[in-house]
Amino acid sequence: MSVPTPGPRPGDPRQAADRPVSALRADVEAAVAGLDDLADRPVSEHPAAFERVHAALGRALGAGPERD
């Protein structure tokens, strides 16, 4: 039996379009960092890890062009 991994931490409650690029970039980097130990985790946990990355990328891309 494997130990469940916690889901994503609550992030900035603002809509992606209202958040600074640095915050969106940090979300993507944190999600991608969650893939670092993927080889050591059960395959059943892999889809959730990839979904977190996909969601973070979708929020960042949906925010529109880069801004300060």
Side-chain angles (χ1 to χ4, degrees):
M1 182 171 171
S2 65
V3 176
T5 51
R9 291 178 290 159
D12 192 325
R14 293 177 286 181
Q15 293 294 320
D18 297 331
R19 296 177 61 199
V21 170
S22 59
L24 294 168
R25 186 174 294 124
D27 288 351
V28 171
E29 289 174 357
V32 171
L35 300 177
D36 289 345
D37 65 345
L38 202 59
D40 299 328
R41 295 175 20 209
V43 173
S44 63
E45 295 178 13
H46 292 193
F50 286 113
E51 286 295 325
R52 284 190 290 274
V53 173
H54 184 262
L57 288 170
R59 285 188 301 272
L61 292 170
E66 188 162 329
R67 63 204 175 282
D68 293 333

